[in-house]
Amino acid sequence: MPLPVPVLPEGVDPAWLPVEALRPLGVRRTLIRGSGPLVDTVHGEVADACGRFGGKVVRGEEGAARGAPDGARYDLLLEVSAAEGLGAEGFAFGRDGGTTTVTASGPHGLLYGLFHVVRLGAAAFAGPVAREEHRPATALRMLDHWDNVSVHPVMGQVERGYAGGSLFWRDGRARGEAERVRAYGRLLAAVGINAVAVNNVNVREAETRLLTERLGEVAGLAEALRPYGIRTHLSVNFAAPMLLDGLPTADPLDTGVRAWWAGAVRRVYAAIPDFGGFVVKADSEGEPGPFAYGRSHADGANMLAAALAPYGGTVHWRAFVYDHRQDWRDRGTDRARAAHDHFAPLDGEFAGNAVLQVKHGPMDFQVREPVSPVLGAMPRTRLAVEVQATQEYTGQQRHVCWLGPMWSEVLRFRTDGAAGPSVAESARGGIVAVSNVGDDPFWTGHPLAQANLHTFGRLAWRPDADPCDVLDEWIGLTFPGAPARLADGLRAVLRGSWRTYEKYTAPLGVGFMVQPGHHYGPGVDGYEYSRWGTYHFADRDGVGVDRSAATGTGYAAQYAKAWAEVYESVDSCPDELLLFFHHVPYGHVLHSGKTVIQHIYDTHFEGVEEAEEARRVWAGLGDLVEPARHARVAERYEEQVRCAREWRDQVNSYFLRKSGVPDGQGRLIH
């Protein structure tokens, strides 16, 4: 039986699956062959589209692709067959003799093949197409939700969430809105995402109990997500045996602790047979972990991996571990070094179903960081690369900042130099993003931030894709039949938005010039004398952190030789990362030919001008965009321009006062 397509609550935006995007599918005749729950989902999608637009769908063996007994011909054949080499999620696509064919060896592949047809639109049914094989680059493409069950007094319902409340939890309990959760799973499946962690990595008391007496609430979410091939994961507290059952220890080598976790996992899989596994933040920013017992992170991860292994589960162990109580006076301690120092010596010690989840940069999702050296240092460990779709340091979904180009640079980066593997090729454990979704009617708060979620899914499936092509795909789906003026306008405001944001915020890779705590808006010295290890060391003579091996913290030497040599030298270090790796005078001349101080002044003026121009372009699209969407974006642009001006004026004034060097163009600096 076809599974009905979820019905969105009134006023909720359909994002990249508006009804009109399914018209090319819905006007045609489709034959579906295969069985099982996911094939029922495929059937439901096609039946709903045909019901709206007058097409027809047939399920089973009746008829054939090129001619049914009644003489009818099918335009589309969706088939689960014994095709080899496609894997569990891959599919083959082709068109011959007037019939478009999607063949998969499993139901997951058929689901992704269906959404491939939707993305192609009318092009899926035009002309002959030689057989193409499509497979995801990695088996796990995951979103980590930082959603709290109980409202945190500081962080709220969703930590670092900029799109309203949680889709899953509200005021200490499950929301129980299965239809919207199922609609969310549908959006994710349409871009190839196949896993979701449903709670915050900072696991407090209420969230810890999701593992035991509140497990039924997690099972309810898993049931809602399952029809679209989404496996549910749970963030857990390393000290759960102590917090929940009063064990005297959480030592990962203690037999009682290991037995406790084995029992907990057994109960989880009894309730959720397709459960994905655990996400763990341990010994980081105050969270408990194996260090308390003199054990390594491999000991901690392997204990949980052993409990999960009989059921095919995975533990995702986050590598975000550093000293968060640093002395700002000590220039020898370097937060950027921490993950490599902690984890690289453990390469080869992690269990096969343990994944080390590594932030894409060594610090914390800044607008510009080098790629983490850990991603090239552990060839015998399953690694996952973690990016941040929620815009904590990139405008908090009040600013337009499309992150596709950043993520593409990271995923294509070759950690050993030109001949080595890319980050995407090294990430055998998956590609993960911190979610940017909430219960806002537009899902992501800022309607244009939907492009980040869509782009993440598509790049996780195919990391070598051109992000600009992915953006065009999002535009075509979200605005079906968009006239050229609208499509061109969307490209104009989105394509360069990451670099625009970089221009008016922290320069040349220095990072963290934000207001402490909430991280929104300029605070040039906000973290400069703090315990968090996020310094820029600006003084009257220069700015930047010396991370060279010769005279600094030695961080540059954590890279393979090809990159260590590039980053070690001021002369070869890329301009955009100069202040991350080196402390230089304000008069230092960049490869661009400008001095550091003039670059700071120029880019901050340019960034504001570009934000103002984007606001103007958006205002001119008002006759082509649905009024509620246009108004929401216009309102956010007003805030973006206001904030960009504040960034410009505070950063430029700060460095004028520090350096005493005037702007070469004589512009007003306060």
Side-chain angles (χ1 to χ4, degrees):
M1 292 292 293
L3 181 73
V5 171
V7 178
L8 287 172
E10 185 177 355
V12 173
D13 186 66
W16 50 83
L17 287 178
V19 169
E20 194 62 26
L22 282 85
R23 177 183 290 275
L25 173 67
V27 298
R28 289 174 167 84
R29 294 172 57 86
T30 299
L31 173 64
I32 301 173
R33 290 176 173 159
S35 61
L38 287 183
V39 180
D40 293 343
T41 298
V42 170
H43 188 181
E45 288 286 338
V46 178
D48 185 77
C50 289
R52 293 176 183 276
F53 298 110
K56 182 177 181 180
V57 58
V58 174
R59 175 88 174 264
E61 296 303 320
E62 57 183 283
R66 291 183 176 81
D70 63 0
R73 186 179 69 186
Y74 290 98
D75 303 294
L76 175 63
L77 170 64
L78 299 166
E79 182 176 33
V80 176
S81 73
E84 295 183 0
L86 294 173
E89 296 183 308
F91 61 90
F93 172 86
R95 181 168 172 81
D96 182 51
T99 298
T100 298
T101 302
V102 173
T103 305
S105 54
H108 287 82
L110 196 68
L111 179 67
Y112 296 130
L114 167 69
F115 283 121
H116 179 72
V117 171
V118 173
R119 288 193 300 273
L120 289 174
F125 304 98
V129 178
R131 174 186 164 96
E132 307 167 348
E133 294 188 352
H134 298 259
R135 303 174 193 82
T138 183
L140 184 131
R141 305 164 306 277
M142 183 173 177
L143 288 177
D144 282 357
H145 276 254
W146 286 359
D147 297 16
N148 300 312
V149 174
S150 294
V151 177
H152 187 270
V154 176
M155 294 298 180
Q157 191 75 70
V158 181
E159 182 168 335
R160 304 305 180 198
Y162 310 107
S166 170
L167 290 172
F168 309 138
W169 318 103
R170 181 166 54 203
D171 298 332
R173 56 188 179 274
R175 293 182 66 141
E177 298 175 7
E179 193 75 350
R180 184 159 186 193
V181 174
R182 196 159 65 92
Y184 177 48
R186 180 176 182 245
L187 286 175
L188 300 187
V191 295
I193 294 168
N194 65 358
V196 168
V198 297
N199 65 305
N200 192 354
V201 292
N202 295 316
V203 185
R204 302 173 180 93
E205 181 179 358
E207 293 76 23
T208 301
R209 297 187 180 280
L210 295 175
L211 188 60
T212 52
E213 66 260 36
R214 303 190 67 169
L215 182 58
E217 297 171 63
V218 183
L221 294 173
E223 183 177 2
L225 292 167
R226 186 176 297 116
Y228 284 93
I230 310 293
R231 293 183 75 181
T232 298
H233 294 239
L234 192 64
S235 295
V236 296
N237 189 314
F238 187 81
M242 302 172 68
L243 296 173
L244 296 178
D245 278 332
L247 269 65
T249 181
D251 184 347
L253 301 188
D254 183 90
T255 56
V257 172
R258 296 175 77 87
W260 187 93
W261 280 106
V265 169
R266 183 173 61 253
R267 291 186 291 273
V268 169
Y269 278 92
I272 312 170
D274 59 347
F275 183 71
F278 296 145
V279 180
V280 184
K281 178 181 178 180
D283 288 316
S284 176
E285 300 183 328
E287 297 298 312
F291 282 176
Y293 309 99
R295 312 302 186 191
S296 73
H297 283 281
D299 293 330
N302 291 346
M303 171 194 67
L304 295 174
L308 290 161
Y311 309 94
T314 301
V315 57
H316 284 249
W317 192 272
R318 295 181 83 235
F320 186 51
V321 177
Y322 68 98
D323 175 12
H324 70 290
R325 297 185 181 278
Q326 292 181 208
D327 182 348
W328 59 269
R329 302 166 185 82
D330 176 12
R331 293 206 181 188
T333 301
D334 184 2
R335 172 171 165 174
R337 289 185 55 107
H340 190 282
D341 287 345
H342 283 304
F343 289 98
L346 301 177
D347 187 31
E349 297 184 18
F350 289 88
N353 65 322
V355 169
L356 188 62
Q357 190 162 304
V358 183
K359 288 191 177 187
H360 73 81
M363 297 294 279
D364 191 14
F365 301 129
Q366 298 302 291
V367 70
R368 177 73 69 172
E369 293 185 49
V371 171
S372 170
V374 179
L375 292 167
M378 303 184 69
R380 295 179 295 160
T381 302
R382 288 181 67 197
L383 300 178
V385 60
E386 179 183 277
V387 300
Q388 192 180 46
T390 193
Q391 295 172 228
E392 179 179 357
Y393 295 100
T394 52
Q396 301 193 356
Q397 283 143 244
R398 286 180 265 186
H399 298 219
V400 175
C401 188
W402 176 55
L403 297 169
M406 174 202 281
W407 296 335
S408 181
E409 285 186 14
V410 170
L411 294 170
R412 292 168 184 255
F413 183 83
R414 297 192 177 274
T415 55
D416 292 333
S422 68
V423 165
E425 291 164 343
S426 299
R428 294 180 293 113
I431 300 176
V432 182
V434 183
S435 168
N436 66 345
V437 171
D439 67 356
D440 184 88
F442 287 103
W443 300 95
T444 56
H446 198 309
L448 299 187
Q450 291 178 8
N452 280 330
L453 183 58
H454 179 276
T455 300
F456 167 74
R458 303 306 300 136
L459 290 180
W461 179 282
R462 187 185 162 194
D464 64 347
D466 184 333
C468 290
D469 290 343
V470 175
L471 179 63
D472 285 348
E473 178 184 278
W474 175 79
I475 292 170
L477 288 168
T478 307
F479 303 90
R485 180 161 63 89
L486 176 57
D488 289 346
L490 288 163
R491 293 186 192 101
V493 301
L494 283 163
R495 280 191 176 182
S497 56
W498 167 47
R499 298 186 189 280
T500 293
Y501 187 85
E502 180 181 22
K503 283 181 177 181
Y504 63 73
T505 55
L508 300 171
V510 74
F512 283 103
M513 291 180 170
V514 293
Q515 289 292 327
H518 57 73
H519 297 166
Y520 185 75
V524 184
D525 276 342
Y527 280 105
E528 190 61 16
Y529 305 101
S530 75
R531 60 192 177 109
W532 297 99
T534 52
Y535 315 125
H536 56 69
F537 296 135
D539 55 32
R540 67 179 184 179
D541 299 315
V543 60
V545 183
D546 185 356
R547 292 190 165 103
S548 68
T551 58
T553 69
Y555 168 77
Q558 291 184 336
Y559 289 88
K561 184 173 184 291
W563 287 110
E565 291 177 349
V566 169
Y567 295 144
E568 176 72 14
S569 168
V570 172
D571 294 331
S572 57
C573 185
D575 284 351
E576 63 269 20
L577 292 172
L578 180 66
L579 301 186
F580 190 94
F581 283 100
H582 297 281
H583 187 89
V584 299
Y586 294 112
H588 173 83
V589 178
L590 301 169
H591 297 111
S592 68
K594 293 183 179 182
T595 62
V596 166
I597 190 66
Q598 194 60 46
H599 172 91
I600 291 172
Y601 295 152
D602 287 350
T603 53
H604 283 78
F605 280 107
E606 289 167 8
V608 171
E609 291 165 1
E610 290 172 12
E612 291 171 340
E613 173 62 12
R615 179 181 62 175
R616 186 197 66 77
V617 170
W618 182 259
L621 301 176
D623 60 320
L624 301 176
V625 179
E626 185 268 327
R629 184 193 302 269
H630 190 271
R632 173 70 71 89
V633 174
E635 171 260 322
R636 302 261 164 145
Y637 262 125
E638 290 302 315
E639 168 56 18
Q640 179 171 357
V641 169
R642 182 209 65 79
C643 193
R645 291 169 177 167
E646 193 68 22
W647 270 101
R648 175 198 63 196
D649 292 342
Q650 288 200 28
V651 171
N652 282 349
S653 294
Y654 178 91
F655 282 105
L656 174 63
R657 295 173 186 184
K658 279 283 186 183
S659 70
V661 179
D663 173 30
Q665 297 192 45
R667 293 164 293 198
L668 175 63
I669 298 179
H670 300 276

